[in-house]
Amino acid sequence: MTRISKPTAQRLPTCATLLALLALTALPLHAAPPEPAPPSAAATQAQRSTPGDIAPEWILVRLERPVPIRTEFVELRSSELLKAPLRVNGEYRRPDAQTLVRVVREPYLETTTIGQGEVSIVRDGRSPRRFSLSRAPQLAALHDSFGALLSGDRARLEQHYRIASTGSRERWVLRLTPKDAELAEQLVDIALYGRGAELRCIETRTRGRGGGRGAGDGVDPDIERTLLAGAARRAGTAPDHALVALCHGDSVGSQ
């Protein structure tokens, strides 16, 4: 995988930002979600697993949603470069199958659009920026991987990630760990937290400036959590620690 040059990387959306954009297919509308389609063979096999032992196929089948779609988000980003976690509020939109939009409302105004192989970023008070995804191989690879995720193509997804799932149908976690060595130098893993057919949070752990592996090396990874749908609506003015609980579905905000 080709590395992004430093000037280009500085202009790119963060990893979790892109993932949340790509995950719009998995978000429920503000209205009740549609009735699920008849289960596929993979889903039927997943439903035969032992109680409480959720299978990845069961989750993947339920992540599909038709366009157009939109949902609120609350993003909480922590890093060794930040004195305090950065909190961002806004809305994600997927007006059609080729276009993904992230609108930031607080603490600044910014719109990021991914479509037709390009990324455009328009921020209040700055000149618009536009570049091709071909200049960002990592993002292009993530785009392909999450296309596989959201189409339920486990075999294609496993070309790039090791897949593991835990929990039950009422509260589950789907964790993706990169296989590619160069991507793994930047990305520790991605965890998707959900309940039933609702994807509530994407938690992305990336290597800190010290290159931490995130386990046993004394260097903590940078963490970005993007709360979606019901979890984002519950966030309100809750303190940062409550957002972490909301993401994970813990008692502070699990309802």
Side-chain angles (χ1 to χ4, degrees), residues 41-53:
T44 301
Q45 178 63 35
Q47 290 174 356
R48 292 172 183 164
S49 59
T50 58
D53 181 21

Side-chain angles (χ1 to χ4, degrees), residues 136-243:
Q138 289 97 327
L139 296 189
L142 286 169
H143 189 285
D144 178 68
S145 298
F146 273 77
L149 170 68
L150 299 175
S151 64
D153 190 343
R154 179 173 181 174
R156 182 171 147 216
L157 189 63
E158 286 183 324
Q159 294 176 11
H160 305 283
Y161 296 93
R162 292 186 294 275
I163 305 173
S165 58
T166 58
S168 66
R169 298 176 188 178
E170 290 73 31
R171 177 177 166 181
W172 49 261
V173 181
L174 185 69
R175 190 174 302 276
L176 309 177
T177 305
K179 292 181 177 179
D180 180 82
E182 190 163 354
L183 180 58
E185 289 180 0
Q186 303 178 44
L187 176 66
V188 178
D189 58 22
I190 302 160
L192 290 81
Y193 292 82
R195 296 168 63 188
E198 182 184 53
L199 174 62
R200 293 172 62 84
C201 184
I202 300 173
E203 182 177 88
T204 305
R205 299 194 301 162
T206 55
R207 308 296 179 193
R209 184 173 54 182
R213 306 293 296 178
D217 61 359
V219 180
D220 293 331
D222 292 343
I223 300 176
E224 185 167 331
R225 296 180 177 94
T226 302
L227 280 68
L228 306 164
R233 291 193 292 274
R234 288 186 56 85
T237 59
D240 292 346
H241 71 83
L243 299 194

